[in-house]
Amino acid sequence: MNQASNISVSIGLVRKELESTLQKAESYFSQFSENLDGTHLKLFADELNLVRGTFKLLELSGAEALSAEMLSLIGDGSVKQVLKLEVLGQALIGLTQYVNILFEQEVDHPILLIPTINQVRKAGGHRLFSESHFFSVNLRPKLPVIDKAKFDIKPHLPRLRLMFQAGLLRVLKDKNPEIGFKLIERSLMLLERGLRGTLAWPFWWSSVAALQAITSEHYDLTLARKMLFSRVDILMRAMIKNGIKVFSSQHANELHKDFLHLVSLSGVKEGVIAEVKAAYEIKPSTIEEQLKIERKQLAGPDIGSFDALSKAFKEEIQSVKEALDASEKSALTPEQTEEMRERLAGMAGILKVIHQDALSQRLEEQLSHIIAMTEFSQEERLTALASVADALLQVELASDRFGRQANINSKQEIIGAGHYYEARIVLYDEINTGLSVSKRAIASYVDNKDKLHLANIAQALSGVKGALIFLNEEQAVQVIWAAIRFLNEKVLNTDHPAGEAKLEVLADVLTSIEYYIETVSQSDVAPKDILSLAVKSMAQLGYRIS
């Protein structure tokens, strides 16, 4: 019998009792919130304890843990009453919504309650749970045999941490998170390759799989997941200072488990994700796609609510349009005028509630036209009707996007200088093509040490340099020029094969330039920190750039 069937049978036996107990708990808490009477808080705690017992009986670990944390907070005399009231109220709402989802879908996903549990634990001054708290896995299975790294990664660790940090800042600030994750992925992949055959390798192997799952399947970037990468940065610092022995620590084990949990939520069945799943014998209980849906249900009104609102707005607009058509032919009666005014005022009020202030103001401006329309001449009435119709058209167009983008108040701007922008697009394509060709050539050379693979790199990079000159990216030009010099002086014109580690540094240089240009192409703000990575990498190869 599967999990859904087990929960269905169990809930069927206790559902009425559980609903009744939760309703009593909500009632007592409501009374407590009104008068802060300790008696009602005690009654609330008693009912909550009964609920916790039911959850324990049903083996609903997440709901039981949240109930237990709430009871602990109730009994904590060091927490201020105001904070206790606020946190318990939010936790009760979260618990009730979760139980409702449980009743409807009959599937228990305790990870959904982690944010609420942590909110309660934070109020009580306790350490927060990670998202993998309810996940179990063997961190020391028999792993596949893999050849030891062919180059010494130790001298490159500070630079790789710097690359990781540059990406992390973008993810934490929600500023170009795509570029941020590319920088993080590059650093993690190099750490995985450079630490093969060591105690640290399984950790970095799992981290690469987890990051690929996050980016390829567009995981929700919860606060816990953002902080996970901050914790990795701390581990990197410890690794640089104390060596790979840090990977036997509790901190490293907890992070490793978090990464494997993220892998378990992936629906991908191939590549490194599938390999990690197989090695650690991970049997997924759910996938991130399902959790996304349930998170929205827990959070309250979802996109479906906005769709319903959009439909209602269109129906209301249609009614006003019909009235406008009638008024164009003949004057409206006072009753019809008042009805139109009320409809516009109602729509304006709703728009304000959902933070569409500019649209709301636009409709409010039309109210005076509606009120005065009975006294207007035919020409003035037609002008007023046109203004109202234009405002309604704006709202109708915007209603299709309610809830789908952060801001629909901004006016559309006409982009001029079309040929200039087309030229920039051509230059960006030239740069990306040249960099891609160069990186593939380096990878091919690393595999078989045949310098023929590197023969066309200088030409490709010269094209990149020329495009950067047209874009006035002077420092980036210097970086590419230094890269060309390195290839000619240290690789192509020598009898000795270039070391793999140095070629990896060169690949990092080209990757940094690639991410830098990608960011510049999407924004007017130049990401100097990414360009700085390229400059520092070239310095490590012996080519300093001012």
Side-chain angles (χ1 to χ4, degrees):
M1 185 179 288
N2 60 32
Q3 186 197 30
S5 300
N6 282 327
I7 293 177
S8 178
V9 172
S10 301
I11 284 181
L13 296 173
V14 300
R15 178 167 182 168
K16 288 185 178 179
E17 180 184 347
L18 183 57
E19 286 179 329
S20 175
T21 308
L22 271 173
Q23 287 174 358
K24 287 181 182 178
E26 289 173 357
S27 175
Y28 287 133
F29 184 78
S30 178
Q31 294 176 63
F32 166 67
S33 64
E34 290 175 3
N35 53 35
L36 297 180
D37 183 358
T39 301
H40 289 124
L41 183 61
K42 174 67 169 60
L43 292 170
F44 167 62
D46 291 341
E47 297 299 328
L48 188 61
N49 195 37
L50 291 175
V51 170
R52 186 193 64 80
T54 304
F55 290 144
K56 185 174 183 179
L57 180 67
L58 297 176
E59 298 182 348
L60 301 174
S61 55
E64 181 194 351
L66 177 54
S67 304
E69 294 295 342
M70 292 170 70
L71 288 167
S72 175
L73 186 63
I74 290 171
D76 191 341
S78 63
V79 179
K80 292 182 179 180
Q81 198 82 305
V82 175
L83 177 61
K84 188 179 292 189
L85 179 65
E86 178 185 353
V87 172
L88 287 173
Q90 292 174 350
L92 183 59
I93 291 172
L95 181 62
T96 304
Q97 288 177 319
Y98 185 78
V99 170
N100 289 336
I101 292 174
L102 201 62
F103 286 157
E104 291 175 9
Q105 301 182 10
E106 299 178 349
V107 176
D108 177 35
H109 295 145
I111 181 181
L112 295 170
L113 289 174
I114 291 290
T116 309
I117 291 172
N118 281 341
Q119 198 173 18
V120 180
R121 288 182 66 83
K122 183 178 179 181
H126 303 296
R127 186 185 179 193
L128 305 187
F129 286 167
S130 71
E131 279 195 338
S132 66
H133 180 77
F134 298 106
F135 172 72
S136 297
V137 68
N138 176 17
L139 294 179
R140 302 289 183 267
K142 185 177 180 180
L143 295 175
V145 177
I146 191 165
D147 292 337
K148 194 172 182 180
K150 297 177 181 178
F151 62 94
D152 182 12
I153 196 172
K154 190 173 180 180
H156 305 281
L157 292 179
R159 180 178 55 81
L160 292 180
R161 185 187 175 205
L162 189 63
M163 181 185 294
F164 182 91
Q165 289 174 328
L168 177 61
L169 284 173
R170 278 166 172 72
V171 172
L172 293 179
K173 294 179 179 179
D174 288 320
K175 183 180 179 182
N176 288 328
E178 295 83 6
I179 298 294
F181 276 128
K182 286 180 180 179
L183 287 167
I184 290 174
E185 183 176 30
R186 175 67 180 167
S187 62
L188 294 183
M189 291 179 72
L190 288 170
L191 286 166
E192 183 271 327
R193 287 181 57 191
L195 291 166
R196 289 177 181 178
T198 71
L199 174 66
W201 176 73
F203 177 92
W204 297 114
W205 186 47
S206 301
S207 74
V208 170
L211 188 64
Q212 287 191 9
I214 289 173
T215 54
S216 65
E217 298 175 75
H218 305 290
Y219 280 25
D220 284 339
L221 289 184
T222 62
L223 178 61
R225 289 170 183 176
K226 289 181 179 180
M227 297 313 296
L228 168 62
F229 288 101
S230 297
R231 290 159 55 207
V232 172
D233 179 57
I234 295 172
L235 185 66
M236 278 189 183
R237 181 180 64 189
M239 176 180 68
I240 293 170
K241 183 179 180 180
N242 301 315
I244 61 172
K245 64 182 181 181
V246 300
F247 289 93
S248 60
S249 68
Q250 182 181 351
H251 180 208
N253 288 336
E254 289 174 352
L255 283 172
H256 195 177
K257 182 185 174 189
D258 287 341
F259 280 135
L260 293 173
H261 175 246
L262 291 172
V263 172
S264 78
L265 300 177
S266 171
V268 174
K269 297 180 180 179
E270 58 188 8
V272 67
I273 294 174
E275 292 169 2
V276 170
K277 281 183 181 179
Y280 286 89
E281 299 181 349
I282 294 173
K283 297 177 181 178
S285 60
T286 187
I287 58 173
E288 175 69 12
E289 199 61 37
Q290 180 61 33
L291 293 179
K292 285 182 181 180
I293 297 170
E294 293 174 7
R295 283 193 198 99
K296 289 180 180 178
Q297 292 172 336
L298 275 177
D302 59 8
I303 200 69
S305 303
F306 285 105
D307 286 340
L309 179 62
S310 174
K311 183 179 179 181
F313 256 81
K314 289 180 178 178
E315 292 174 354
E316 196 73 2
I317 288 169
Q318 185 58 38
S319 298
V320 177
K321 280 181 178 178
E322 291 172 359
L324 290 174
D325 290 339
S327 67
E328 190 174 358
K329 298 170 185 175
S330 60
L332 296 175
T333 64
E335 291 78 13
Q336 291 172 321
T337 301
E338 178 59 22
E339 181 182 355
M340 188 189 296
R341 189 198 68 77
E342 288 180 356
R343 286 180 183 275
L344 288 179
M347 284 192 285
I350 293 173
L351 287 168
K352 188 168 291 185
V353 169
I354 62 173
H355 306 296
Q356 303 298 330
D357 296 335
L359 291 172
S360 175
Q361 184 179 352
R362 184 73 198 277
L363 285 187
E364 286 177 346
E365 290 170 354
Q366 307 310 312
L367 296 178
S368 59
H369 292 160
I370 298 295
I371 295 170
M373 203 173 290
T374 54
E375 302 176 1
F376 282 170
S377 65
Q378 177 67 9
E379 184 178 348
E380 289 173 330
R381 191 165 77 249
L382 290 175
T383 302
L385 289 173
S387 179
V388 175
D390 183 56
L392 287 172
L393 179 60
Q394 274 194 306
V395 174
E396 186 173 16
L397 291 173
S399 67
D400 288 329
R401 306 193 297 276
F402 285 168
R404 287 177 169 79
Q405 61 186 57
N407 184 7
I408 61 174
N409 297 333
S410 57
K411 297 179 180 179
Q412 295 289 336
E413 294 181 357
I414 299 173
I415 299 177
H419 294 299
Y420 170 71
Y421 286 100
E422 288 176 8
R424 286 174 67 90
I425 291 171
V426 172
L427 292 171
Y428 292 139
D429 286 342
E430 173 76 17
I431 292 169
N432 288 330
T433 300
L435 292 174
S436 296
V437 167
S438 301
K439 289 196 297 180
R440 284 198 300 270
I442 292 172
S444 298
Y445 173 77
V446 169
D447 288 340
N448 56 32
K449 300 298 185 292
D450 186 348
K451 287 187 179 181
L452 285 175
H453 291 297
L454 303 176
N456 295 323
I457 286 189
Q459 182 179 350
L461 290 182
S462 293
V464 172
K465 181 165 70 74
L468 289 170
I469 289 172
F470 275 104
L471 292 171
N472 293 320
E473 293 290 347
E474 295 180 5
Q475 193 169 35
V477 170
Q478 293 181 49
V479 171
I480 295 299
W481 175 233
I484 294 172
R485 287 175 54 207
F486 169 77
L487 281 166
N488 289 330
E489 297 169 6
K490 301 295 177 67
V491 181
L492 296 174
N493 297 325
T494 63
D495 296 330
H496 304 290
E500 183 178 342
K502 288 187 176 181
L503 288 174
E504 286 292 356
V505 175
L506 179 62
D508 288 347
V509 171
L510 301 183
T511 299
S512 297
I513 294 296
E514 181 182 15
Y515 295 162
Y516 173 77
I517 289 301
E518 185 175 340
T519 305
V520 168
S521 69
Q522 300 170 3
S523 170
D524 293 332
V525 180
K528 294 299 183 183
D529 57 335
I530 297 181
L531 191 55
S532 176
L533 282 174
V535 171
K536 290 178 180 178
S537 296
M538 283 310 308
Q540 193 168 356
L541 292 174
Y543 293 81
R544 299 196 176 277
I545 297 165
S546 57

